[in-house]
Structure formats: C-alpha cells, structure tokens
Amino acid sequence: MARNGFFTGLDIGTSSIKVLVAEYVNGEMNVIGVSNVPSAGVKDGIIVDIETAATAIKTAIEQAEEKSGVTIDKVNVGLPANLLQIEPTQGMIPVPSESKEIKDEDVDSVVKSALTKSITPEREVISLVPEEFIVDGFQGIRDPRGMMGIRLEMRGLIYTGPSTILHNLRKTVERAGIKVENIIISPLALTRSVLNEGEREFGATVIDMGGGQTTVASMRAQELQYTNTYSEGGEYVTKDISKVLKTSSQIAEALKFNFGTANLSEASNSETVQVEVVGSEQPIEITERYLSEIISARIRHILDRVKQDLERGRLLDLPGGIVIVGGGAIMPGVVETAQDIFGTNVKLHVPNQVGIRNPMFANVISLVEYVGTMTEVDVIAQSAVSGEELLRRKPIDIAPKPQRIVTPRVEAAPSAPVQTVPVFEEERPAQTNRTAHQEPAAQREPRQKLGDRVRGIFGSMFD
C-alpha cells in the first residue's frame, strides 16, 4: 500500500543528474517537478570528485525546486550495481511483551538480529529486504504485527556494497546541502518498477543503457537474481562517431540522434549528410548507412557482452524476455538489434507519467516508486539498517500539518546460496511554500494545472 506524502528521487548518472519530485495521494503518484542537468565528477556511475559532483547535484535540486514549487530537504538516492553483493540472512528473537503480541519494536529487533551477520570491514549493509516472517513455526507471514507468539523469526536478503562508495555518495549529497533519506539499490527499484507482476515472478531481464555505462538486472520469483554493469553506454557511441569522422562531440551527438540508427537494414545508402571535420574547410559527405555502421558496431559490442554473461548465468531464456530502458535506448534500431542478438522477446519501456514519457527517466521514477510503495514493515527494516529510531505506534502516512508562513526563498545566480554480483526585499504579502515530505498539498494557493506545468518543464529542459 502506497504512503501519502512527498518523495524526491535523485539519480546520479555518468552523463546526467536527474531529480524528480512526486506526491503520492491515495496510491497514485503525481509528478510535480523534474530536472535533468549535465553530470560532473562521476565516472562509470561512481563519484570520483565530491565537490564537482555536489555542485551539479545542487543545480539539479534547485531546478527541481523551482519547477515544483517545493523546497527539497531530503532525497532518496539511487546506488548503481557496482560491486553489489546479495546474501541470505535470518534472525530470531523471543517476543518479550507480557501479552506476547508482536509490535513494531519486535520487528525492529528481529531485523537487527539478522544484521549481526558477519560483514567484512570494507563492506556495508545497504538494505535488508524481508522475505518472510515465522511466528512459532508458522511460515510465510508478510506482516507479523498484531499476531501473538512466543518466538519471532525473519528470513530475508541483505544487500551490501563497498563502504568507500557509500561514504562518498552520502558525503556528496550532504555537501550539496541535502539530507539522504534512503539509499536505494537502483537495479532492485528499476526491476520492480519496469516489470509487471508476471515478469517479476517467472523471470525477466532489464537492460538500462545509460550514457556512461550499461546496467543489467534479472529478477525471478520476485527477487533480484543477478546484476552487472558494463562501462560502455550511449556516450561511447558518440565518441566512436567523433573519432571515425574526425568531428566534434557536439556534431557527433547531433548526427547520432538526428540521422543515426542501430539497425543497418533501416539505413539508406542513397541519403547523405554533410559533416564538418577537423582540419578541413570543406565538409565531407557520408551516407546514413556509413553512420549506421559506426553506431551498430558499438551497440552490438555492448549487447554481445551482455548476452555472454546472461547465457553463462542461464538467464537468457527467462519467460519475460528483455526490457530495455535508458537514454541509450531512445535511438532508433536498438530494440531490433537487441532482438536479433538475444533471440528472445525484447521491448522498450516508456514510462506512462504525464510529461516524462521518455525511457531516460525510468530510473529516477523507479526510485520514487520504490520509496512511495514501501510497506510499513519495509520502513521498519530500512530504519533498522540505517540505525534510525522509529516513532513507535505512529502511522506511516504523513499527517497534515499546519502550514507555516515564510518569506520567499531567494534563488541563487528465493533464498539461495550467497550470490556475489560481478561489477564493473520589496514589501509584499507573505507567500506560502510547501516543504517536501513535510507540508500537505491542501490549503495551498491555486497552482497551474499539472499537465500544463509539466509540459512547461520540458519546454525548457531540452532547449
């Protein structure tokens, strides 16, 4: 059951940083603001320059605030699959209360007992996902609260990552002036968001073709079975075009999106395009077919590597096939090329949110969806992982609070054996502001219609 309130997702990619603000009302997610700015200080999905990356994140946050009318004070950050490990875990506690009724505190305690599993010093627990609870031997319980019992057990999966990467991620976001609410494992959120119920149960693979890297994640039996990253993405296609044609990156990018296709059979031998090259006053003329050959070579190289690893893990024949998302998947011919290489059903996922029906936003949307649809038990488990104390016996839904009057903000100029995942100031009336995750949507001043506002976002985003 979805929680009501405001949630903000932050997707730190190699080529771009995206921020999305959404409000959940009665289980429906309404996107109210989004930003997309060029990335900096990030390589292969990993932060390599904290100050530079923090500046880019701050820019993205400010743009999202301006477009949504919401002050962002905390975000849910996506963590890439680099060096991710998945391990089964379990915990057990006696129910201490005299009534023997299981409460929030008991769920918190049994999760913490499962966290005592030995973890190497250089790694850190990112998330613990409960699979089932067992009360006095009765298995398959999703939420044991309110039940009576003497012994409470829990079985779940622990996701761990390198402490260095996690520290740098938190440090960078905090340096941008924002608090990290949750660190979300991007492949886990993406598979849950993109795949339907049947695909998650019987098995399917999601390929996220980003700018600097490609991420692959397979889910089966509602669990993340496999994930891997490849340090190649859409930017490498641009670099290939630039290198082969001896032209600038800007021209290469324009050629890729305006005339390029990854499917050779769609390219024309007769249609030509003029290209300005370095060291020559006269442009050269190339055919669409020649451009397609450059593009296709890189796309096929990436997908061939993915195919080899999926075959090795016996994941290529999953009934749900393959779903492709990401900015690199927008280019014509990618789906057809993937279908030819994998020999299975391949489809392109396009988000259905108004105004952001673009595969490049699938990742940041999945972060907000993941947090917005967390159950109360999931929230307790995540709080135990992060070490935060819960407000006991209080509902998870965000309750309306009185609005505060502030001066306008001045804008600045199945459990399996251990799985090791491979990696790669004028006087004027005071205005009312909303604060993300804090203030209700009611009682605010009338605003522009959602559809008109979101359309306005994209009128300026891609200028």
Side-chain angles (χ1 to χ4, degrees), residues 166-446:
L166 291 164
H167 170 81
N168 293 344
L169 181 63
R170 293 191 187 98
K171 189 75 173 180
T172 303
V173 176
E174 291 169 0
R175 191 67 61 86
I178 305 298
K179 179 184 176 182
V180 175
E181 182 176 17
N182 290 292
I183 293 180
I184 309 298
I185 299 167
S186 291
L188 180 60
L190 190 61
T191 48
R192 288 188 178 185
S193 172
V194 169
L195 302 178
N196 59 41
E197 182 70 22
E199 292 167 340
R200 293 194 297 269
E201 181 63 35
F202 292 99
T205 297
V206 177
I207 300 178
D208 180 11
M209 302 187 70
Q213 66 178 8
T214 297
T215 302
V216 179
S218 297
M219 177 170 275
R220 180 169 50 192
Q222 304 290 340
E223 293 179 4
L224 190 62
Q225 299 285 320
Y226 167 86
T227 184
N228 198 1
T229 58
Y230 304 84
S231 57
E232 296 177 82
E235 287 185 353
Y236 285 73
V237 175
T238 302
K239 291 177 181 178
D240 289 345
I241 297 172
S242 176
K243 185 176 181 179
V244 172
L245 300 182
K246 297 182 177 62
T247 189
S248 68
S249 296
Q250 292 82 356
I251 293 177
E253 186 79 0
L255 287 171
K256 181 177 71 173
F257 282 109
N258 294 330
F259 304 99
T261 175
N263 188 2
L264 290 175
S265 62
E266 295 179 355
S268 170
N269 262 321
S270 58
E271 295 292 333
T272 61
V273 59
Q274 302 286 328
V275 180
E276 296 181 6
V277 299
V278 176
S280 175
E281 295 182 358
Q282 298 297 323
I284 63 171
E285 189 175 88
I286 63 167
T287 64
E288 287 186 359
R289 172 79 181 194
Y290 183 56
L291 178 62
S292 178
E293 288 173 353
I294 301 172
I295 296 171
S296 177
R298 176 61 68 175
I299 297 296
R300 285 185 170 273
H301 174 70
I302 296 172
L303 297 181
D304 279 336
R305 292 179 62 193
V306 174
K307 179 183 178 181
Q308 292 174 11
D309 290 335
L310 291 178
E311 285 180 331
R312 192 177 297 115
R314 299 181 180 179
L315 297 166
L316 193 56
D317 57 349
L318 294 177
I322 292 173
V323 181
I324 300 182
V325 298
I330 303 173
M331 188 167 48
V334 171
V335 172
E336 292 79 4
T337 300
Q339 198 150 4
D340 179 56
I341 291 173
F342 294 119
T344 186
N345 179 48
V346 179
K347 63 181 180 181
L348 176 67
H349 172 77
V350 180
N352 59 7
Q353 280 75 14
V354 175
I356 48 175
R357 294 191 173 106
N358 190 316
M360 69 186 296
F361 290 101
N363 212 331
V364 71
I365 291 171
S366 73
L367 299 177
V368 176
E369 286 185 346
Y370 185 92
V371 177
T373 56
M374 287 173 67
T375 66
E376 295 185 9
V377 169
D378 291 332
V379 173
I380 294 172
Q382 194 60 37
S383 297
V385 170
S386 62
E388 295 179 359
E389 292 297 327
L390 293 174
L391 298 176
R392 307 299 184 185
R393 303 183 185 87
K394 288 191 176 181
I396 297 299
D397 287 0
I398 297 176
K401 297 180 181 180
Q403 288 196 332
R404 53 190 175 91
I405 303 300
V406 297
T407 56
R409 181 166 52 86
V410 179
E411 300 292 342
S415 297
V418 174
Q419 304 178 48
T420 301
V421 182
V423 56
F424 291 101
E425 141 141 44
E426 292 180 66
E427 292 186 0
R428 52 182 175 180
Q431 294 180 354
T432 300
N433 284 352
R434 295 180 292 167
T435 301
H437 319 286
Q438 293 181 355
E439 297 183 0
Q443 301 179 358
R444 60 178 180 259
E445 294 179 0

